[in-house]
Amino acid sequence: MHVPAGMRQAYLISIPRDLLVAIPAAPGYGGGQDKINAAYEHGGGGEAGARLLSATLSRLTGIRYDGAALVDFSGFKEVIDLLGGIRMCVDTEVRSIHTRTLFTPGCQQMDGARTLDYVRQRYDLPDGDYDRQRHQQQMLRAVLDKAGETHLRNDPVKLDRVLRAVGGALTVDTNGVPLEDLLFALRSLPADALHGVQVPSYPQTIGEVSYVVLDNGGAGLFDALRATRVPEWAGANPRWVNRL
């Protein structure tokens, strides 16, 4: 997530899981070319895996990260349920490969289990993993919206339960910023201020293995991030940006 100064906009930038990258060496791993989702496993999972993933992303983008959150899906399900479910809008019919649930087009209320089932799907969707990235971005937007609707500041018991669930769902490094301050700051974003960004890329088969590779080095996205000019880049590259 990139939040420009003023905190009136935010950009969720999704890295394709199959993106071909250079992964640095780590204890027990000599480094090399692989899909970016392999960096977490090569690092040994957990916080060590997250550190190698962060190092891989830093090498890819040239950016030092201010913080990170490692999401546990079962814990995030509890967060959604404590909020009373969230409203998700299904744009393309898809059947879950995990539960065989059929998701039909239209906006609907979803509990935690149904939400996570839906946002994990990529097969039989027109744009595959790109659609999954967009749906996961929409889920985060819906969680923030619901947190704002439930007036958590005025319900200390429910606020405590939600924060405890969030704490159980995330392994978080906020670089010293209290988690509740970060949550409420993001919750106050205007309804039209959260944007989903896909890294410019395209699928390619290399040696009979399916990868995703950068389109023209990311089409200037990483340069814009380093220069804090993401709004300008987004305006010039609408193909890769979704209003959430």
Side-chain angles (χ1 to χ4, degrees):
M1 172 179 280
H2 171 65
V3 183
M7 299 195 72
R8 303 303 295 169
Q9 297 184 84
Y11 295 85
L12 292 173
I13 301 171
S14 291
I15 308 292
R17 57 174 285 171
D18 292 340
L19 186 69
L20 182 61
V21 295
I23 301 176
Y29 174 66
Q33 297 279 321
D34 206 338
K35 296 180 180 182
I36 195 164
N37 68 328
Y40 180 77
E41 296 302 328
H42 287 317
E47 293 187 21
R51 283 195 296 271
L52 183 57
L53 177 58
S54 179
T56 302
L57 286 168
S58 292
R59 174 177 286 189
L60 174 70
T61 64
I63 297 167
R64 180 188 62 81
Y65 293 91
D66 297 314
L70 181 65
V71 180
D72 175 80
F73 272 167
S74 62
F76 211 66
K77 168 185 170 294
E78 183 182 357
V79 173
I80 294 173
D81 287 338
L82 281 172
L83 290 171
I86 59 175
R87 184 172 174 81
M88 293 287 291
C89 293
V90 177
D91 44 27
T92 303
E93 182 173 290
V94 62
R95 186 176 294 280
S96 168
I97 65 169
H98 305 106
T99 65
R100 305 308 299 164
T101 298
L102 179 66
F103 295 93
T104 56
C107 295
Q108 52 203 267
Q109 189 77 1
M110 295 188 186
D111 62 14
R114 187 174 178 85
T115 299
L116 292 177
D117 190 18
Y118 173 62
V119 302
R120 292 177 66 195
Q121 304 311 311
R122 63 170 172 156
Y123 298 107
D124 296 328
L125 290 172
D127 293 318
D129 195 48
Y130 293 106
D131 281 334
R132 177 169 61 177
Q133 293 172 37
R134 181 165 50 83
H135 295 160
Q136 291 177 349
Q137 292 169 343
Q138 290 170 344
M139 176 187 70
L140 293 174
R141 166 81 272 181
V143 168
L144 290 173
D145 286 344
K146 192 58 181 288
E149 292 171 5
T150 50
H151 307 293
L152 293 180
R153 282 191 187 274
N154 299 323
D155 189 341
V157 174
K158 189 167 188 177
L159 173 60
D160 181 69
R161 291 174 64 197
V162 170
L163 288 176
R164 287 177 184 273
V166 170
L170 302 177
T171 301
V172 184
D173 174 8
T174 60
N175 208 14
V177 177
L179 180 59
E180 55 268 32
D181 289 356
L182 182 60
L183 288 173
F184 281 121
L186 296 178
R187 190 197 68 174
S188 66
L189 287 168
D192 62 349
L194 190 59
H195 310 269
V197 179
Q198 297 174 352
V199 171
S201 54
Y202 57 89
Q204 182 175 330
T205 300
I206 303 173
E208 300 185 353
V209 177
S210 296
Y211 293 98
V212 171
V213 296
L214 291 178
D215 184 355
N216 190 28
L221 172 60
F222 303 141
D223 293 334
L225 276 166
R226 290 192 297 270
T228 64
R229 299 186 72 255
V230 175
E232 293 84 352
W233 183 91
N237 295 271
R239 172 188 173 189
W240 301 104
V241 182
N242 302 297
R243 179 69 58 82
L244 301 179

